[in-house]
Amino acid sequence: MPSLSLSETLHRLVHAYKKQLRSDIAAQEIDLPVTHIRALKGVCRNPESTAQSIALRMQRDKAQITRVLNELLQGGLITKIDNPKDGRSQLLRPTAEGENIMTQISTSERKTVARMTQALSSAEVDTFIKLANRISKSVDEAAAAKSGADCHAQKRPSSKPKDPIGKGAVEARLMQEHAIGENHNE
């Protein structure tokens, strides 16, 4: 059996994680959509959370996140307090029920990770984390560079950037392994 391409492997891993996590969350009888869970997680982890900071963290439209946050408010999972540093915004805080749900979600995440990594040694898990963080950092840096280039595009003509870490070789390999434009349903 031929080995899977890098893109197919990443795709399968993401979907396996999502599927297992959904199953573990459902076993806890938590009836919240993923977007609501991610927003609640952001509120619980950052005492300076605002609707804007959650939208930026989740890379979603602020109007969409405002609707999600309003549903969490109506469900009694978060509250709003006036932001003492900025009178125009409000800080978001979890309620006791929101913290309880977050504890259950954290338990589900730990179970999911344990199941998915049971065949790996701790050294293999450490290596995977380092590699995945490097990949994520590379994506973030490329997005930041593109965003910066977009801002300066009107000031000067664009020139092709140098390829100091061999990204072109990685892109070429991905193009060979995987047909560009192939649609993967999530």
Side-chain angles (χ1 to χ4, degrees), residues 80-95:
K80 290 182 180 181
I81 61 168
D82 290 334
N83 186 345
K85 296 178 186 173
D86 178 4
R88 298 171 296 159
S89 68
Q90 294 179 313
L91 297 176
L92 305 167
R93 296 285 197 277
T95 63

Side-chain angles (χ1 to χ4, degrees), residues 113 117 120-134:
V113 168
T117 60
L120 302 177
S121 70
S122 60
E124 288 172 320
V125 171
D126 289 343
T127 299
F128 174 79
I129 290 170
K130 287 176 188 172
L131 292 172
N133 284 333
R134 282 176 53 193

Side-chain angles (χ1 to χ4, degrees), residues 52-93:
Q52 181 67 31
S53 71
I54 297 295
L56 288 172
R57 178 184 174 272
M58 293 178 61
Q59 299 178 344
R60 296 282 190 253
D61 178 63
K62 187 178 176 211
Q64 177 189 13
I65 295 306
T66 299
R67 284 188 296 276
V68 168
L69 294 171
N70 284 336
E71 290 174 14
L72 292 173
L73 275 164
Q74 291 169 0
L77 301 178
I78 63 172
T79 61
K80 290 182 180 181
I81 61 168
D82 290 334
N83 186 345
K85 296 178 186 173
D86 178 4
R88 298 171 296 159
S89 68
Q90 294 179 313
L91 297 176
L92 305 167
R93 296 285 197 277

Side-chain angles (χ1 to χ4, degrees), residues 37-55:
I37 290 171
R38 289 185 63 215
L40 180 60
K41 187 184 291 189
V43 170
C44 289
R45 290 188 177 166
N46 180 7
E48 299 295 315
S49 291
T50 63
Q52 181 67 31
S53 71
I54 297 295

Side-chain angles (χ1 to χ4, degrees), residues 117-174:
T117 60
Q118 65 187 349
L120 302 177
S121 70
S122 60
E124 288 172 320
V125 171
D126 289 343
T127 299
F128 174 79
I129 290 170
K130 287 176 188 172
L131 292 172
N133 284 333
R134 282 176 53 193
I135 291 169
S136 295
K137 182 179 177 187
S138 176
V139 170
D140 291 344
E141 288 173 351
K146 182 181 182 330
S147 176
D150 288 346
C151 290
H152 299 297
Q154 294 177 350
K155 294 181 183 176
R156 61 183 171 168
S158 172
S159 62
K160 186 174 180 176
K162 294 180 182 176
D163 190 6
I165 58 172
K167 288 190 300 187
V170 172
E171 290 169 358
R173 178 174 175 199
L174 286 173

